[in-house]
C-alpha cells in the first residue's frame, strides 16, 4: 500500500464552482499535511500546511484533516481560471515528504 | 532572494553519459532534497540532506549520487545515464524544526536520456 493515495483523474469545473480534492494516507506516524499547487512546467509551491485535525482556511482555500480516518481534503471556493493547475497532497514526518500523484484541475471560464 | 535555483533547465544525454544537476539556495535552509516527477507517478524522493556533510537516501536512489559540502549547494550526479532516468528533476529546500515540511521548490530540470 502506497503511503499516500490520490486519485490522479483530471477535474474540469465551471468558473465559480467548488473544487473538492482528497487524499488518503496509511502511516499514522506522519503528522504534517500539505497541499502544493503546480502550474504547468513550473515547480510545486506550498498552498496549505497544517499539523492538526480539523479545518484550516486561507481565503478561498480550505484544508481539512481527519487523522482518525487518515483522510485529507482541499476545497477551493469560487474557483477561478487562475486556479487551473495540478494540486498535490503531501504528508510529512521523519525528515521527508511523501506526495500523492496530483490532480489536474481545469476551471472553465 | 533568488530562492532555489537549478541548472540546466533542459538537458539531453546519451545512454551511459554522466552529468551533474546543480541546485543552490540562498535562504540558509538546512534541509535540501531532490525529487523526480514522472507522469502518473507523482513526485518521488531521490536523496535528501539535513545539513552540510549529511545525506541520506530516499525512495528511488539507485543511479544517483549526492554530496553536501556547503549549506547552499546540493548537486545531483547521474553516474551512467539510462533511458529510465528521463524525467523532470526538482530540488527543494526548507528550514528544519517546525518549518521542515514547508519546502520551496526550484523550477526543475527536464532531462531526456536517449
Amino acid at each position: 500500500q502506497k503511503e499516500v493515495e490520490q486519485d490522479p483523474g483530471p477535474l474540469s469545473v465551471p468558473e465559480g464552482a467548488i473544487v473538492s480534492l482528497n487524499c488518503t494516507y496509511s502511516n499514522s506516524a506522519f503528522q504534517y499535511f500539505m497541499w502544493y499547487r503546480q502550474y504547468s512546467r513550473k515547480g510545486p509551491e506550498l498552498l496549505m500546511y497544517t499539523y492538526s485535525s480539523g479545518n484550516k482556511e486561507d481565503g478561498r482555500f480550505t484544508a481539512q484533516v481527519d487523522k482518525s480516518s487518515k483522510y485529507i481534503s482541499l476545497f477551493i471556493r469560487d474557483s477561478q481560471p487562475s486556479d487551473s493547475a495540478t494540486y498535490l497532497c503531501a504528508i510529512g514526518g521523519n525528515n521527508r515528504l511523501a506526495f500523492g500523484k496530483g490532480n489536474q484541475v481545469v476551471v472553465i471560464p | 532572494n533568488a530562492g532555489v535555483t537549478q541548472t540546466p533547465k533542459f538537458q539531453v544525454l546519451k545512454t551511459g553519459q554522466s552529468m551533474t544537476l546543480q541546485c543552490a539556495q540562498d535562504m540558509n535552509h538546512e534541509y535540501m532534497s531532490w525529487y523526480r516527477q514522472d507522469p502518473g507517478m507523482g513526485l518521488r524522493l531521490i536523496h535528501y540532506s539535513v545539513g552540510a556533510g549529511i545525506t541520506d537516501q530516499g525512495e528511488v536512489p539507485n543511479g544517483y549520487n549526492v554530496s553536501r559540502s556547503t549549506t547552499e549547494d546540493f548537486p545531483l550526479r547521474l553516474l551512467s545515464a539510462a533511458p529510465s532516468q528521463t524525467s523532470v528533476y526538482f530540488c527543494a529546500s526548507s528550514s528544519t524544526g517546525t518549518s521542515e515540511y514547508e519546502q520551496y521548490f526550484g523550477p526543475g530540470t527536464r532531462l531526456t536520456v536517449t
Side-chain angles (χ1 to χ4, degrees):
Chain A
Q1 183 182 11
K2 288 192 71 66
E3 288 180 311
V4 184
E5 299 277 3
Q6 182 178 11
D7 182 355
L11 189 64
S12 290
V13 300
E15 183 176 354
I18 294 175
V19 175
S20 173
L21 305 170
N22 56 74
C23 293
T24 59
Y25 63 98
S26 58
N27 189 342
S28 55
F30 286 87
Q31 294 290 316
Y32 299 88
F33 309 94
M34 277 69 59
W35 285 92
Y36 283 80
R37 178 174 61 194
Q38 185 176 21
Y39 290 114
S40 180
R41 304 183 86 82
K42 301 287 188 186
E45 57 177 341
L46 182 65
L47 189 62
M48 299 286 284
Y49 171 58
T50 184
Y51 53 86
S52 57
S53 282
N55 292 352
K56 180 177 181 178
E57 284 193 22
D58 184 0
R60 295 183 295 108
F61 298 89
T62 299
Q64 194 173 76
V65 176
D66 182 345
K67 288 188 180 180
S68 62
S69 301
K70 298 190 183 66
Y71 193 88
I72 64 175
S73 300
L74 178 71
F75 301 97
I76 308 173
R77 291 185 300 279
D78 187 24
S79 57
Q80 303 294 309
S82 58
D83 296 326
S84 297
T86 297
Y87 292 82
L88 303 106
C89 63
I91 58 170
N94 298 329
N95 291 325
R96 66 184 183 88
L97 282 175
F99 284 86
K101 293 182 181 178
N103 282 117
Q104 185 180 6
V105 172
V106 176
V107 180
I108 302 165
Chain B
N1 280 354
V4 180
T5 57
Q6 291 183 239
T7 56
K9 285 187 169 53
F10 303 93
Q11 184 70 48
V12 179
L13 290 178
K14 294 189 188 308
T15 297
Q17 287 184 316
S18 63
M19 79 160 294
T20 299
L21 279 63
Q22 301 291 346
C23 174
Q25 52 91 9
D26 61 0
M27 297 173 282
N28 202 31
H29 285 164
E30 298 91 345
Y31 184 96
M32 296 185 74
S33 54
W34 278 102
Y35 295 87
R36 58 178 290 173
Q37 187 173 39
D38 303 291
M41 300 294 288
L43 281 162
R44 292 183 292 170
L45 181 66
I46 304 172
H47 285 284
Y48 66 97
S49 169
V50 297
I54 307 168
T55 64
D56 206 347
Q57 296 182 352
E59 182 184 356
V60 288
N62 292 343
Y64 307 95
N65 270 1
V66 292
S67 60
R68 183 101 178 265
S69 56
T70 66
T71 299
E72 293 78 19
D73 301 297
F74 191 43
L76 178 73
R77 281 181 285 279
L78 279 69
L79 308 172
S80 177
S84 61
Q85 293 178 306
T86 293
S87 187
V88 182
Y89 291 85
F90 290 102
C91 179
S93 73
S94 65
S95 297
T96 53
T98 57
S99 301
E100 185 172 346
Y101 305 105
E102 296 182 58
Q103 294 198 5
Y104 294 83
F105 283 81
T109 294
R110 294 179 179 275
L111 176 68
T112 301
V113 183
T114 61

